[in-house]
Each structure stands twice: as structure tokens, then as C-alpha cells.
Amino acid sequence: MMQPPNKGTRSAASYKGLIQARVPRKDNSARKPNDNSHFCSTRVRYTLEMAAKLGQRALLYSADNKNKVRVGDETLAVDRRIEINRLFPTTDCPVYNDHDFPNPGYLITPAGYLELEPHQVPVTTKDHLGRDRFKMPEKSRATVILRSPHSANNVASHMSDMARHLRVADQVASGKRALVLLVDGGPDFNPNHAVNQFFYSRFFHHMNLDAMVVTSYASGDSALNPVEHVWAPCTRALTGVYLPATLPGETCPPHRQRLSAEEKLAKENAVFDAAMSRIKDSYWRNVQFAGKDITVVVEPSGAPPQPYGEDFATVKEVINGSGRRLRQSDLSHEYSFMAQHMDKRIGMVIFTKCDERNCEHCRNNPPLLSSDDMQLLRNFPTPKPSEDFPGHFATFLEVIATPNSAAPCEHMPQFQMKGLGRCQRDGCRYVFTSQKDMGDHRQKVHRE
């Protein structure tokens, strides 16, 4: 009498469909409501359309970490409740432990970077309201970097990944002058965090980029980040897999053995290196996303991130310390460079080369993007309500054609609710996120 669970199956003919009820399919798409979702999603779209406008001069990456992969002889690498889709002989089906017995801290962190490729020539299309938009960049190559719990996983390691494994410098030299990073709001990516801003600025400087934009969706909307779709095939490939936590010939993981701190560290590094190599060479060797093989890289367990990361602890201590300590430190010059070239908004930072004669870097390395493109990036538009379609924001093409655009974050609910405003100093482009942020900015940037 009820609706069939799936109308496309042959068994659906057995259902009369008189009662509007059925056994539903599993749906994990619900997200916690956030008043800022519409604004942030529109701003992300503006960012992607700006990259589409730049075409082959833009380099885009969607970045995030995967849920950690467990290492242990008695616990599966990924959740044991995930359905197995592989075939087995009927007499040799796998049987797993009815409970997980994890080894504390034996967790591998995969960091993912999905390249989004703009079209060779900007292409426009229509949205559902009939308005013109640039066609979105398409999903391209995905790279996953594996790190053990003995290796740092923070903004410095992510910038090291982009320098070493994604070879951003080579791509900048080939003509990609603007870098866009679409990230989540976690602590190692969040554009609002001062330490992250510092390392983003350092990367922008070292790579000789004309512009670098880092933005995110609203809190709770990280599932919208395209790189999140990369994790599904990776998780499926690890379903039902045990990654040994013991070395050959041993029966106990290192943390259960009577070892010195040095011996324990050395053995655990060997365990994690073997587990990560097994993931790369066996389980993820032929895994694909968007029709392309996923590139998997293993960072040796315990190795410091290069070329960034060696001074991460120092940077974190100084940046989060007092203004006096910052001014007296070796980081003062880099911090001033960051403040001069950064347009900071809630959930977004934009770095652009300047035209100030006292800036040695920009004077010696003038931007290669056109003056119109640099003007767009230096005055990146913020979403504002549409005059023709209530309840919607204006499109990117509409706002860049409007002479008097809205001030940054003006129509963001979080900005309106907190009422902290923007820095009023001439030439400063900084939107406050908290009272502490306001005080730190004034003490560290504008203290006389």
C-alpha cells in the first residue's frame, strides 16, 4: 500500500502507492543552520567567478584534511560500519572484530588538495533566475599528503605541501599569477587566525604571486568544499582494512613495549611509515577522482615540514603575544609586510601587490596581471542584496559593473550582529572579528 523504496527497481510494481510513506534512503546531508551561509556561499562563488574571469592566469585549490586513518592490528583503518562493496568467495567472507581496540594516538592525517581548472577562455552561462554568470572552474587533479602523528599538521605544513608537492612556484613562473585557496574553518586553515594569516602572507611573498585569496564557507558548511568529495573513494578503498601497528617479528605495538623514549619514537616512526606506504602503494594506488588518478605522497614520520614549519612554534608564540614583543622580534618586518598587503574580512583574506614606492618587493617585482585585474583584486567586491530579486544577492557580474559597491562584509549577518566594524585608519583594509582582534590589530599595526 505504501510507496516503493526505489521506483526504478522491478520490485516497485508490487507497491500500490496509496499511502504517502516509504522506507527512506539514508541521507546525511542535513547541516546546522547558519545565518551567514547565504552570504559566505555567495562570496565563495564570487571568488570562483573571479578566477574564471582570470582564466589561465589563476591557480585554484580546494583544501582540507580527511578524517584520520587508524593504525592498529585490532581496529579497522576506517569505521567498521561502512558497507563493504567488494566481492568475496562465499566461503571466505571477512569477519571483523565486534569492537574496536584502538592504539591511543596511532592516527594518520591525510591532507587533500583538489585543483580546480578554469576554462581556457572565460565562458558565461545563465543561473536559474536567468542572470549571466561565469561558468565555474572544473574539478581536476587531486593530491593527498599522508602525515603521521609525529609530524606537524598545521598551516605551515600545508604551505610546505603547496611549495614542494604542488609546485606552486613553477606554476607562477608559467603565468598563473593569482592563487585562490578554498578552505574550511578549522584551526589549521581558518583565514581569521593571525598565525594562519602570517604564513599565508609569507607564502604569497615567497611565491612572488600578484594576488592570493583565501576564503571559506560559513561554519557548518564545510561539506560544500569540493575537496570533500575526494574522500569518498579514498574511504571506500580502505573499508575492511587493518593497518598493522606492529613491526615484523613483534607481537605488540611500540607503546606497549618497555622502551626508552628514543627507541619508542624510532619504532613508531617505522610503524607509521610502513602503514602510510601500504596505503599509498596498495589501497590508494589506483583510486581516482574526476576521472584522474589521485596522487598520494608520504611524508616521512617525524620529518619537519619544509620549507615552512621550522619556526612555527616561534611564530605562534610571538604573533599571539604582546605588541611590544612582536615589534622587538625578527618577525616584525614580515608582519608589517603582511599588514600592508592584506585585505582581511570575516572568513576571508586577500593579499595583493601594492603600488607603494617604499615597498621594495612590489617595486622590484611589479604585478604581471593587467591594471584592471589588479584593481578588481585590490577592491574585491562583497555580496550585496539584489535589487531585482529579493532574497537573493547580486551576481558577480552585476557587482563588478556597479560603480558604488558595498563595503566589505556590510551585508554579512555576523558583521551586523557583532557591530565591531572596520579599521578606520587610512589605507587599512581590516574587518574586526572580535574585541580581542580589534585590540591586537591596533596594538600591533597602528601603535604610534
Side-chain angles (χ1 to χ4, degrees):
M1 300 297 290
M2 295 186 293
Q3 300 291 322
N6 187 342
K7 293 182 180 180
T9 61
R10 186 174 297 176
S11 62
S14 303
Y15 291 80
K16 301 298 183 181
L18 300 178
I19 301 175
Q20 294 298 314
R22 65 177 180 176
V23 176
R25 67 179 180 85
K26 186 178 180 182
D27 190 341
N28 296 327
S29 62
R31 294 190 294 271
K32 185 178 179 180
N34 189 314
D35 292 339
N36 302 294
S37 293
H38 190 190
F39 179 93
C40 292
S41 297
T42 302
R43 188 170 63 185
V44 168
R45 186 172 185 99
Y46 282 12
T47 304
L48 296 177
E49 288 198 62
M50 179 272 298
K53 182 178 184 298
L54 293 177
Q56 294 303 297
R57 293 165 295 171
L59 178 62
L60 287 81
Y61 284 102
S62 168
D64 195 11
N65 294 331
K66 182 191 182 301
N67 289 341
K68 297 183 187 298
V69 176
R70 292 170 289 190
V71 178
D73 300 83
E74 298 177 307
T75 184
L76 290 168
V78 296
D79 197 312
R80 60 190 173 86
R81 290 164 292 188
I82 297 176
E83 184 178 354
I84 300 174
N85 294 319
R86 293 192 294 274
L87 297 175
F88 291 90
T90 55
T91 58
D92 191 27
C93 294
V95 179
Y96 303 118
N97 294 325
D98 62 349
H99 285 79
D100 288 327
F101 302 95
N103 296 289
Y106 278 34
L107 302 168
I108 293 169
T109 303
Y113 307 89
L114 173 63
E115 185 172 357
L116 304 174
E117 187 71 22
H119 296 273
Q120 291 281 346
V121 178
V123 179
T124 58
T125 185
K126 300 284 187 182
D127 67 7
H128 68 288
L129 298 175
R131 302 177 299 178
D132 288 331
R133 293 183 183 271
F134 282 115
K135 195 171 183 179
M136 292 289 95
E138 297 181 347
K139 299 179 181 69
S140 185
R141 296 178 294 272
T143 302
V144 177
I145 316 295
L146 298 176
R147 280 191 172 82
S148 85
H150 292 328
S151 299
N153 188 66
N154 51 45
V155 65
S157 66
H158 297 315
M159 294 301 98
S160 295
D161 289 343
M162 301 196 72
R164 293 178 57 211
H165 303 305
L166 304 183
R167 300 186 180 277
V168 169
D170 293 342
Q171 300 202 57
V172 173
S174 70
K176 296 184 180 292
R177 305 299 305 176
L179 171 64
V180 173
L181 288 181
L182 180 54
V183 301
D184 75 346
D188 50 346
F189 280 114
N190 196 320
N192 293 332
H193 294 183
V195 174
N196 293 351
Q197 294 164 11
F198 184 89
F199 278 97
Y200 289 144
S201 174
R202 177 181 281 183
F203 189 79
F204 160 75
H205 186 186
H206 289 177
M207 295 297 111
N208 192 26
L209 288 156
D210 290 351
M212 177 173 172
V213 181
V214 186
T215 191
S216 62
Y217 286 96
S219 175
D221 287 346
S222 61
L224 300 176
N225 199 347
V227 73
E228 293 287 349
H229 299 282
V230 174
W231 302 131
C234 293
T235 298
R236 283 196 297 269
L238 283 177
T239 303
V241 170
Y242 287 100
L243 298 172
T246 55
L247 294 176
E250 298 185 349
T251 58
C252 292
H255 76 93
R256 294 182 187 170
Q257 301 177 27
R258 291 180 175 272
L259 302 169
S260 67
E262 292 78 9
E263 291 172 329
K264 177 174 175 290
L265 179 62
K267 283 195 171 185
E268 286 186 338
N269 284 338
V271 166
F272 297 138
D273 284 340
M276 292 188 292
S277 295
R278 180 173 295 195
I279 293 173
K280 174 187 175 183
D281 298 333
S282 297
Y283 303 111
W284 287 358
R285 183 180 59 183
N286 297 315
V287 174
Q288 291 191 335
F289 180 76
K292 299 179 176 64
D293 288 340
I294 296 175
T295 300
V296 182
V297 179
V298 172
E299 280 289 325
S301 181
Q306 295 288 346
Y308 304 100
E310 290 187 337
D311 64 345
F312 178 79
T314 300
V315 169
K316 185 176 181 179
E317 186 177 0
V318 171
I319 297 298
N320 291 335
S322 66
R324 174 181 293 182
R325 180 173 184 180
L326 174 61
R327 289 189 294 274
Q328 294 174 348
S329 73
D330 295 336
L331 304 177
S332 178
H333 180 72
E334 277 191 275
Y335 194 88
S336 297
F337 177 90
M338 177 189 77
Q340 181 176 343
H341 296 84
M342 181 174 67
D343 177 352
K344 186 263 183 184
R345 310 178 185 189
I346 300 175
M348 183 182 202
V349 286
I350 304 169
F351 299 94
T352 53
K353 285 184 176 177
C354 67
D355 52 10
E356 299 292 333
R357 297 304 302 168
N358 64 348
C359 179
E360 181 179 355
H361 173 72
C362 298
R363 186 177 68 249
N364 295 335
N365 303 279
L368 299 182
L369 290 175
S370 69
S371 58
D372 288 343
D373 289 335
M374 289 303 299
Q375 182 71 9
L376 171 62
L377 287 157
R378 289 169 181 161
N379 300 280
F380 190 80
T382 189
K384 67 176 184 179
S386 172
E387 296 178 359
D388 299 323
F389 299 95
H392 296 270
F393 285 106
T395 67
F396 176 72
L397 286 170
E398 288 173 344
V399 294
I400 63 175
T402 304
N404 299 317
S405 59
C409 299
E410 180 178 348
H411 298 289
M412 185 180 197
Q414 181 179 347
F415 176 83
Q416 296 170 346
M417 178 184 67
K418 289 193 172 185
L420 298 169
R422 295 173 283 270
C423 182
Q424 298 301 308
R425 293 291 188 104
D426 289 341
C428 187
R429 301 169 295 170
Y430 198 97
V431 177
F432 301 122
T433 55
S434 66
Q435 289 289 347
K436 183 181 184 303
D437 182 38
M438 182 186 299
D440 286 346
H441 178 75
R442 290 173 176 171
Q443 284 289 322
K444 296 175 182 178
V445 177
H446 298 306
R447 185 178 175 87
E448 299 296 339

